[in-house]
Amino acid sequence: MTSDLRKAHKMIWVVLAILIPILLVSAVLGIPKPAFNDNDLLVNDGIHKEPPVYEDESLTLFLEQDGAEGNLRLFLKRPLPHPSALVYASSSKATEDTYLGQLDKKGVYTFTLDRSTEEIKIYDAIKKEEITKIALSWD
């Protein structure tokens, strides 16, 4: 290696020794903050006067009744271990279950239900297995 190449090689290593820590620190500082954390998700915020229909460590269900229709408010406290969690409503009047939506991340989900709905099923479409079945009781 000639003396010019040795000088260039030394300068490149000095520049890299300075740039790499700066780039690593700026990359860590550039990570976006989460939209909300677990403390931001209030399950009972005073709006719901009635106790939840169903509650476990990962989700809570509330029924809100509005005349002929009702709202199902589902609080997903943490992501489910199933990658494809689909929500279905079933009743004895209908031959097939009604698809309501998909649960993909923690948060609040609201679904409109017919008052003839008797139970809610959470189903994993990939593994083709039922995760949870929750019976509903309308007043």
Side-chain angles (χ1 to χ4, degrees):
M1 196 185 287
T2 64
S3 65
D4 290 339
L5 286 175
R6 281 194 302 269
K7 288 179 186 176
H9 190 256
K10 182 180 178 182
M11 286 304 296
I12 289 172
W13 279 107
V14 169
V15 169
L16 285 176
I18 294 170
L19 278 179
I20 289 176
I22 292 172
L23 291 175
L24 284 174
V25 169
S26 64
V28 169
L29 293 176
I31 296 174
K33 303 290 185 234
F36 60 89
N37 59 25
D38 291 336
N39 296 332
D40 294 336
L41 183 60
L42 296 175
V43 173
N44 193 352
D45 54 2
I47 297 172
H48 307 288
K49 308 258 189 298
E50 299 178 12
V53 174
Y54 177 81
E55 185 169 17
D56 67 5
E57 67 276 352
S58 60
L59 61 99
T60 303
L61 290 175
F62 288 97
L63 275 179
E64 301 167 353
Q65 302 175 22
D66 296 329
E69 290 186 340
N71 289 328
L72 174 73
R73 183 164 291 199
L74 189 144
F75 290 87
L76 193 58
K77 300 175 197 174
R78 63 180 185 180
L80 295 173
H82 305 275
S84 174
L86 306 177
V87 182
Y88 289 94
S90 64
S91 67
S92 58
K93 294 180 182 179
T95 57
E96 292 185 3
D97 295 343
T98 305
Y99 174 74
L100 297 176
Q102 182 175 2
L103 305 177
D104 54 355
K105 58 186 175 190
K106 65 181 177 181
V108 181
Y109 296 87
T110 304
F111 304 110
T112 303
L113 296 176
D114 186 20
R115 288 186 60 124
S116 64
T117 303
E118 296 168 352
E119 65 184 8
I120 299 296
K121 295 178 186 175
I122 301 176
Y123 180 76
D124 185 356
I126 294 174
K127 295 180 182 176
K128 297 190 182 343
E129 66 181 22
E130 190 173 281
I131 301 169
T132 305
K133 185 187 289 188
I134 302 161
L136 301 179
S137 61
W138 299 93
D139 291 335

